[in-house]
Every structure is written in structure tokens, then in C-alpha cells.
Amino acid sequence: MYNPTVARLTYKALLGRRRALILFALPALLLVISAAVRAFNGADDQIAADVLGGFALATMVPLIGVIAGTGAIGPEIDDGSIVYLLSKPVKRPTIIFTKLIVAIAVTMVFSAVPTFVAGMILNGNGQQVAVAYTVAALVASIAYSALFLLLGTVSRHAVVIGLVYALVWEALFGSLIAGAKTLSVQQWALAVAQKVSGEGLVTSDVGLPAAVALLVGVTVLATWYAGQKLRTLKLAGEE
């Protein structure tokens, strides 16, 4: 199910100059904000949770997920270079699974790692805040990567749709409207973080069993459907 050649090409595409600048910029901004907050306020568990929840998990993780998930396949479909890959003797679900693994790895490295470092800067992992949000970033990275990889497979406007989901649905509706919170990857990840952190510092509107089921279900279904959609892409002469 994992093809090293497909993985290498996908890493090369994702870590090209333009995307790499964006991928590095967001974690760098988080670390700068964290250092400034620590300098002005000292170590405070609640402030650390607010910064990691408000910027790292609510903004940085989904945006990196959009870049990695859609970038893993979207540009190849847009410019037609996917035809070269599909002409090779590689099963199409294998292509999707390999690209998903790459997208997850990139999202985790550029979101979970800086989240942990930022948490250590903010309060030295007091009340397990740094670890809790790092775990949340890890599980959210998997779901976001699967969702945005699916978007990249089915739509030429995947980046726009992904940004709308990340910035409007997750950050706005997902934090204000009760019903929308149930359909928020951020809230599912917060449910996992709540189990790890000190009492009261991290809260979620979704219970842990439901959150885990939704995280797994969305990841599996999005990956499966992306594989099915890729199967429908016909090459010239395949008719």
C-alpha cells in the first residue's frame, strides 16, 4: 500500500520553495508569539492553553493541513502530470494511501513539533498543556490530511474550499454554533487533549468516545473515497 517512488515525488512537491516558505512561516510565527507572551506575562498555564488552542490548534494546524493535504495531489491533477503517475503499474488506492502518509507526516512535523516547543516556551509543560495540545495536533493532522487530500482529488478549488473550512467553519462557526462544534475536527482533537491536560484547562463540546470514532471514521472514509475518485480518472486509450 506504500510506494516509495510516489512518496519521494510527493515530498519533493510539498517541500518545494514556495510551499516550504509557508510551511515554515506559520510555526515560526507561533514560536515568536509564544516567546513574546512568556516575556510579558511569565509562565501561566491558562494563557499557555489559550495561545496553543487559539492559534496553534485553531489556525496553524488546519492551514498546514490544507497546504499538505491539497498539495499532495491537487497540483498534479490541475497540470495533468497525474497522467504520468497513473500510467505506471501502481494501484490507485496505493497512490492515495502513499500521498496520505506523506501529507500526514508533513502536517505533523510542521504543526505538532512547533506546538510542543511553543508549549514548553509558554509554561514548561505545566499541567501537561504542551503535551495535550501536541497530542491534539497529532490526531488533528491525520484527519485534516485525509479530508484535504480528498478535496484535492475531487475539486480544482480544493485550496479555497479548504481555507473556507479551516478559517470560517472551524474558527468561526465551530467556536460559536453548538451544532457546528460536533462537526469540527478541532473539537474532536480537543476532546483527546482534554483527557491529557490538567482539569479545566482544555475543554471540548464533544465527548471522547464520539471524538475518537469521528476522527477514525472521517479519516478512513475520506481516504477510501479519494481512492475511488482517483479510479474514475481515465487515461487516453483506457476506454
Side-chain angles (χ1 to χ4, degrees):
M1 289 297 291
Y2 181 85
N3 187 284
T5 301
V6 174
R8 177 176 55 81
L9 293 172
T10 306
Y11 275 119
K12 184 178 179 180
L14 284 179
L15 300 178
R17 183 176 301 175
R18 292 176 59 186
R19 284 192 178 85
L21 287 175
I22 302 174
L23 289 172
F24 279 105
L26 289 169
L29 180 58
L30 172 63
L31 296 180
V32 169
I33 291 173
S34 300
V37 169
R38 176 62 184 264
F40 285 107
N41 295 284
D44 185 289
D45 296 340
Q46 187 59 60
I47 291 177
D50 291 342
V51 171
L52 295 180
F55 182 79
L57 190 61
T59 303
M60 184 184 72
V61 179
L63 286 180
I64 291 177
V66 170
I67 296 168
T70 62
I73 196 169
E76 291 177 287
I77 294 177
D78 291 341
D79 63 20
S81 61
I82 191 70
V83 172
Y84 170 79
L85 185 58
L86 296 180
S87 68
K88 301 300 178 182
V90 181
K91 294 181 179 179
R92 298 184 185 187
T94 297
I95 295 173
I96 289 295
F97 183 77
T98 301
K99 287 182 174 294
L100 174 63
I101 295 300
V102 173
I104 290 173
V106 170
T107 306
M108 284 182 171
V109 168
F110 284 94
S111 61
V113 173
T115 295
F116 178 75
V117 174
M120 297 301 293
I121 292 172
L122 285 164
N123 75 333
N125 196 37
Q127 297 294 310
Q128 295 292 305
V129 169
V131 171
Y133 277 101
T134 299
V135 171
L138 288 171
V139 297
S141 294
I142 299 173
Y144 281 131
S145 296
L147 280 173
F148 296 135
L149 179 65
L150 172 60
L151 276 178
T153 306
V154 302
S155 174
R156 291 181 177 273
H157 307 290
V159 174
V160 175
I161 298 172
L163 289 175
V164 169
Y165 176 83
L167 299 178
V168 178
W169 183 267
E170 289 271 352
L172 184 59
F173 292 110
S175 61
L176 298 177
I177 302 175
K181 294 178 179 180
T182 306
L183 301 176
S184 168
V185 174
Q186 178 187 340
Q187 291 296 321
W188 305 341
L190 283 172
V192 179
Q194 184 177 4
K195 185 70 175 178
V196 178
S197 69
E199 187 174 353
L201 287 174
V202 184
T203 59
S204 173
D205 291 279
V206 181
L208 182 60
V212 172
L214 288 166
L215 284 166
V216 173
V218 164
T219 300
V220 172
L221 287 175
T223 304
W224 172 81
Y225 190 59
Q228 296 304 305
K229 293 299 293 183
L230 195 62
R231 286 178 183 272
T232 66
L233 289 177
K234 298 293 184 181
L235 302 177
E238 277 191 348
E239 300 295 342

